[in-house]
Amino acid sequence: MIRWFDTLSSDDVALVGGKNASLGELTTKLAAAGVRVPHGFATTADVFWSVLDGAGLRSQILDLLNDDTRSPSDTAAEIRSLIETAELPVDFVDALTDAYHALGDRYDQDNVDVAVRSSATAEDLPEASFAGQQDTFLNVSGIEQVIAAVRKCFASLFTERAIYYRNEKGFDHSDVALSVGIQKMVRADQASAGVMFTLDTETGFPDVTVINAAWGLGEGVVSGEVTPDEYRVYTPFLDDDSLSPIIGHQVPRKDRKYVYTNGGSTEIAAVAETDAHASVLTEAEILQLARWGESIETHYGQAMDIEWAKDGETGDIFVVQARPETVQSQRQSATLRTYSLTETSEVLVRGAAIGDAVATGPVCRLDDPSQRDAFVDGGILVTELTDPDWVPLMKRASAIVTDRGGRTSHAAIVSREMELPAIVGTENATEVLNTGREVTVSCADGDEGQVLEGILDFEVDEQDLSTLPEVNTRVMINVASPPVAMKWWRLPVGGVGLARMEYIINNIIEVHPLALTRFAQVEDAAAREKIEQMTAGYDHKPDYFVDTLARGIATIAAAQYPHPVIVRMSDFKTNEYANLIGGQSFEPDEENPMMGWRGAARYYSDDYADGFALECQALRMARQDMGFDNIVAMIPFCRTPNEGREVLKIMAEQGLQRGEHGLKVYAMAEVPSNIMLADRFSDLFDGFSIGSNDLTQLTLGVDRDSDRLAYLFDERDEAVTRSIRHLIDTAHDPEQGPAIPVGICGQGPSDHPDFAAFLVEAGIDTISVLPDSVARTIRTIAEVEETIHHHA
């Protein structure tokens, strides 16, 4: 009638249900890995049937379930009443009493506090998840309370919800029994609890462990009542004790928690102000839990969903449940979406298409991001142009349409990162499209995007990436957003050709680095207050910048490890830096920021040196402390070789010595001097990445944001292609020494197949494009390589 957890295994689901069988498996098979599970025992399914049969209830219950004249709620209530008042077999009561006292003896407690949990005999099987349908009673103490809780667990197999679920799934009611697990209580009410997944829950990326943690009982996390801390750990590095691969560490304000009441239920209590902003788990505890998760996943041979709790009396952490993860692990991999309209209507507005998706919804025409309250979630954002202040609104939109801007404008870049369809440079969208008008935004037809009248039907095609051809030219991706980086782990690419540090600084950190290193110089009272709030929990304000930037970079690096991830040091213009919190105090007002104090020139200037030092510290933390030695540093807008030497010297002083720990440093090739003096720059750097937008702009003397001159802006112009060919030839010239790689990280190759053909023929080493352009780019490269091979 009673089975102790240390006598059970996963083979005992029919005997004690999925939950208790899992606890048995954890107890017996994973103790050697250090995994702690609170002691306990389970009643067998046979006891459940003996209770029903002893009271003559089995046939009576089945008759009630088959009676269509009664309401489901009345049926469920009557069945539960019959079970709760049934006489329990004496031998079972004796066995239960002996086991409870034996558990108390293990902990040297007379009325040991226990959790009493239901475990249906089909629970947590892949084809059926009964999780949460049956009752659990916490903080139960004394044999009388235990017996009462066991009765209620038996009865809970017949809640209205549980009956409905079994009917929906086609389970025979007589095939599902109930076992009860009785387990030493973990006093998480005095500490913390949470959930751990051994993969990324949003993308299915298998090499990360996600841990949620909140003060008090785990009910706060599971119910969503409390916004928990979230820690993300890169699992493959856990074997190296010298590393701390915690790539995510979000600590929101937590002002409430769940605690026990004396009656065995729970209630919400306030969190002490000193704990509200504090991290629930220490670094050592996060890594310990992640290692346990890895052991559990390895044992079960699949991704796992694990509940854990920390005992406030002993300080020990325990695993209290483990079950297979059932969402991401079931998904098909290696697919790419393409969109196409299945009907058409009047074209209202045309412009440059960004992305290749289709979206529908009501127009929300806004002049300023302060009008956010007027925006309808899922609407089509229509405005003149966007800047970083619009980003929170853009996240709520289903598509973006602007009057101004080209393919490299803010609206275009951010829309691509968010995977939102956008149409830029329409000239008249704000005149034609009025708020409330229902439209379809289509970027499914190549370069031109269209806003069409009405809500149109469209199809989404899923493409198998495994059918893509092999190519010799390495294809990489451009990534800015760490959360989005994980999404692309299945793409057949060779790393990240451009990871833009600015996104992390602008959208996640939000504070100007000098406003942290020189906080006393921040004059704006509102900015000071905001910085104080954002750095709460940090004794040293600059650590907020370093930690957040390092973890963001590490997340991008983790998604592509061990392939190279080229991280460009910050390349804001002064007007963009000034828009960061506290930035106004530290930035000059320039007539032409595009050609002003940006890139390398900032890094060795006394007016930004301590800001660049924070960037270097973050890169060093991600590479050396976390272990991501696949990170390559890249210096933007380096106008002269002397600038390059100055920057490399400062990086070395900050612990980023080129060549040490395998560190490579690349230069952006985007200024004509980089091309003309390619041989000199080759002596300083380990590789080049062509920034085709700036190179085209500076070679042709065309403002890339000018609508009037847009027809002249073309990276396929002979002046630009000659420059690119010269750079490649010089970098690969054996007389210059060992060849160094040359890549390109603009949109040109994916937008223009003929440009991609030129690059391959010229001998480019890598082509880095946005993730949604990968399949198209690979096919283009394959055709070009085949043609070259054929001619050869």
Short mmCIF file of all heavy atoms in Angstrom, two decimals, residues 35 82 136 193 196 199 207 270 320 363 368 373 392 396 409 474 476-477 519 549 642 744 751 774:
data_model
loop_
_atom_site.label_atom_id
_atom_site.label_comp_id
_atom_site.label_asym_id
_atom_site.label_seq_id
_atom_site.Cartn_x
_atom_site.Cartn_y
_atom_site.Cartn_z
N VAL A 35 21.87 15.73 -6.72
CA VAL A 35 20.52 16.28 -6.75
C VAL A 35 19.79 15.89 -5.46
O VAL A 35 19.70 14.71 -5.11
CB VAL A 35 19.74 15.77 -7.97
CG1 VAL A 35 18.30 16.30 -7.95
CG2 VAL A 35 20.44 16.18 -9.26
N LEU A 82 -19.02 11.54 -1.94
CA LEU A 82 -19.04 10.10 -1.65
C LEU A 82 -17.65 9.62 -1.22
O LEU A 82 -17.51 8.84 -0.26
CB LEU A 82 -19.49 9.32 -2.89
CG LEU A 82 -20.98 9.44 -3.28
CD1 LEU A 82 -21.22 8.81 -4.64
CD2 LEU A 82 -21.86 8.77 -2.21
N THR A 136 -3.34 19.65 -4.28
CA THR A 136 -2.12 19.58 -3.49
C THR A 136 -2.38 20.35 -2.19
O THR A 136 -3.01 21.40 -2.20
CB THR A 136 -0.94 20.23 -4.24
OG1 THR A 136 -0.60 19.41 -5.35
CG2 THR A 136 0.28 20.36 -3.35
N ALA A 193 11.60 29.84 -4.30
CA ALA A 193 11.26 28.67 -5.12
C ALA A 193 11.10 29.13 -6.55
O ALA A 193 11.05 30.33 -6.85
CB ALA A 193 9.98 28.01 -4.60
N MET A 196 12.64 25.59 -13.51
CA MET A 196 13.82 25.56 -14.37
C MET A 196 13.50 24.72 -15.61
O MET A 196 12.93 23.64 -15.51
CB MET A 196 14.99 24.96 -13.60
CG MET A 196 16.20 24.58 -14.42
SD MET A 196 17.65 24.20 -13.38
CE MET A 196 17.07 22.79 -12.43
N LEU A 199 15.99 24.01 -21.66
CA LEU A 199 16.15 24.59 -22.99
C LEU A 199 15.53 25.99 -22.97
O LEU A 199 14.89 26.37 -22.00
CB LEU A 199 15.54 23.73 -24.10
CG LEU A 199 14.11 23.18 -23.99
CD1 LEU A 199 13.05 24.22 -23.70
CD2 LEU A 199 13.76 22.45 -25.27
N ASP A 207 20.97 24.56 -25.71
CA ASP A 207 22.17 24.69 -24.90
C ASP A 207 22.07 25.74 -23.80
O ASP A 207 23.08 26.21 -23.29
CB ASP A 207 23.38 25.02 -25.80
CG ASP A 207 23.79 23.83 -26.64
OD1 ASP A 207 23.41 22.69 -26.30
OD2 ASP A 207 24.47 24.03 -27.67
N ALA A 270 3.69 40.57 1.92
CA ALA A 270 4.60 41.59 1.39
C ALA A 270 6.05 41.11 1.53
O ALA A 270 6.40 40.40 2.47
CB ALA A 270 4.42 42.90 2.14
N VAL A 320 11.79 19.40 -6.43
CA VAL A 320 10.55 18.82 -5.93
C VAL A 320 9.69 18.23 -7.05
O VAL A 320 8.66 17.62 -6.79
CB VAL A 320 9.73 19.87 -5.13
CG1 VAL A 320 10.48 20.24 -3.86
CG2 VAL A 320 9.44 21.10 -5.95
N VAL A 363 -5.12 51.22 -39.07
CA VAL A 363 -4.08 52.25 -39.08
C VAL A 363 -4.11 53.02 -37.76
O VAL A 363 -5.18 53.36 -37.26
CB VAL A 363 -4.29 53.22 -40.26
CG1 VAL A 363 -3.41 54.46 -40.12
CG2 VAL A 363 -4.02 52.52 -41.59
N ASP A 368 3.97 61.62 -32.75
CA ASP A 368 4.98 61.67 -31.70
C ASP A 368 4.83 60.44 -30.80
O ASP A 368 3.70 60.01 -30.54
CB ASP A 368 4.77 62.95 -30.87
CG ASP A 368 5.88 63.17 -29.88
OD1 ASP A 368 5.77 62.66 -28.74
OD2 ASP A 368 6.88 63.83 -30.25
N ASP A 373 -0.70 56.30 -25.78
CA ASP A 373 -1.99 55.84 -25.26
C ASP A 373 -3.05 55.72 -26.35
O ASP A 373 -4.04 55.00 -26.19
CB ASP A 373 -2.50 56.79 -24.17
CG ASP A 373 -1.65 56.73 -22.90
OD1 ASP A 373 -0.90 55.74 -22.76
OD2 ASP A 373 -1.74 57.66 -22.09
N PRO A 392 9.51 51.31 -28.04
CA PRO A 392 8.45 50.63 -27.27
C PRO A 392 7.13 50.54 -28.03
O PRO A 392 6.42 49.54 -27.94
CB PRO A 392 8.32 51.51 -26.02
CG PRO A 392 9.65 52.16 -25.89
CD PRO A 392 10.10 52.42 -27.29
N ARG A 396 4.72 47.09 -30.15
CA ARG A 396 3.28 46.80 -30.03
C ARG A 396 2.59 46.73 -31.38
O ARG A 396 1.42 46.35 -31.47
CB ARG A 396 2.62 47.88 -29.16
CG ARG A 396 3.10 47.90 -27.72
CD ARG A 396 2.68 49.17 -26.99
NE ARG A 396 1.24 49.40 -27.06
CZ ARG A 396 0.64 50.55 -26.75
NH1 ARG A 396 1.39 51.59 -26.36
NH2 ARG A 396 -0.66 50.68 -26.83
N SER A 409 17.45 53.27 -42.74
CA SER A 409 16.89 54.18 -41.74
C SER A 409 16.59 53.42 -40.45
O SER A 409 16.55 52.19 -40.42
CB SER A 409 15.61 54.83 -42.26
OG SER A 409 14.62 53.84 -42.48
N ARG A 474 31.34 31.47 -46.77
CA ARG A 474 30.68 31.38 -45.46
C ARG A 474 29.57 32.43 -45.37
O ARG A 474 29.80 33.62 -45.59
CB ARG A 474 31.69 31.62 -44.34
CG ARG A 474 31.07 31.45 -42.94
CD ARG A 474 32.00 32.01 -41.87
NE ARG A 474 33.13 31.13 -41.63
CZ ARG A 474 33.31 30.44 -40.49
NH1 ARG A 474 32.42 30.52 -39.52
NH2 ARG A 474 34.36 29.69 -40.32
N MET A 476 26.94 34.31 -42.89
CA MET A 476 26.75 34.62 -41.48
C MET A 476 25.50 35.50 -41.35
O MET A 476 24.88 35.85 -42.36
CB MET A 476 27.99 35.34 -40.92
CG MET A 476 29.28 34.55 -41.13
SD MET A 476 30.78 35.46 -40.68
CE MET A 476 30.84 35.20 -38.91
N ILE A 477 25.13 35.83 -40.13
CA ILE A 477 23.94 36.66 -39.93
C ILE A 477 24.29 37.92 -39.14
O ILE A 477 25.23 37.95 -38.36
CB ILE A 477 22.79 35.91 -39.23
CG1 ILE A 477 23.25 35.27 -37.91
CG2 ILE A 477 22.18 34.89 -40.16
CD1 ILE A 477 22.13 34.64 -37.10
N PHE A 519 28.68 60.11 -12.60
CA PHE A 519 27.30 60.38 -12.17
C PHE A 519 27.15 61.77 -11.56
O PHE A 519 26.12 62.43 -11.74
CB PHE A 519 26.86 59.30 -11.18
CG PHE A 519 25.44 59.46 -10.69
CD1 PHE A 519 24.37 59.30 -11.57
CD2 PHE A 519 25.18 59.76 -9.37
CE1 PHE A 519 23.06 59.44 -11.12
CE2 PHE A 519 23.87 59.91 -8.93
CZ PHE A 519 22.82 59.75 -9.80
N LEU A 549 25.73 44.67 -20.54
CA LEU A 549 26.31 44.56 -21.88
C LEU A 549 26.98 43.21 -22.07
O LEU A 549 26.81 42.56 -23.12
CB LEU A 549 27.31 45.70 -22.10
CG LEU A 549 27.98 45.77 -23.47
CD1 LEU A 549 26.95 45.83 -24.59
CD2 LEU A 549 28.92 46.98 -23.55
N ASN A 642 47.01 55.25 -37.45
CA ASN A 642 47.38 55.73 -36.11
C ASN A 642 46.23 55.59 -35.12
O ASN A 642 46.43 55.25 -33.95
CB ASN A 642 47.85 57.20 -36.18
CG ASN A 642 49.30 57.31 -36.58
OD1 ASN A 642 50.05 56.34 -36.44
ND2 ASN A 642 49.70 58.47 -37.07
N ILE A 744 31.46 41.04 -45.57
CA ILE A 744 30.57 42.18 -45.77
C ILE A 744 29.35 41.97 -44.91
O ILE A 744 28.87 40.84 -44.77
CB ILE A 744 30.20 42.37 -47.26
CG1 ILE A 744 29.44 43.68 -47.46
CG2 ILE A 744 29.43 41.18 -47.80
CD1 ILE A 744 29.31 44.10 -48.93
N ASP A 751 19.69 41.82 -51.12
CA ASP A 751 18.75 42.60 -51.93
C ASP A 751 19.06 42.50 -53.42
O ASP A 751 18.15 42.60 -54.26
CB ASP A 751 18.79 44.08 -51.51
CG ASP A 751 18.13 44.32 -50.16
OD1 ASP A 751 17.40 43.43 -49.69
OD2 ASP A 751 18.37 45.39 -49.57
N VAL A 774 18.73 34.63 -45.31
CA VAL A 774 19.75 33.57 -45.39
C VAL A 774 19.46 32.58 -46.52
O VAL A 774 20.33 32.29 -47.35
CB VAL A 774 19.87 32.83 -44.04
CG1 VAL A 774 20.62 31.51 -44.21
CG2 VAL A 774 20.59 33.71 -43.03
#
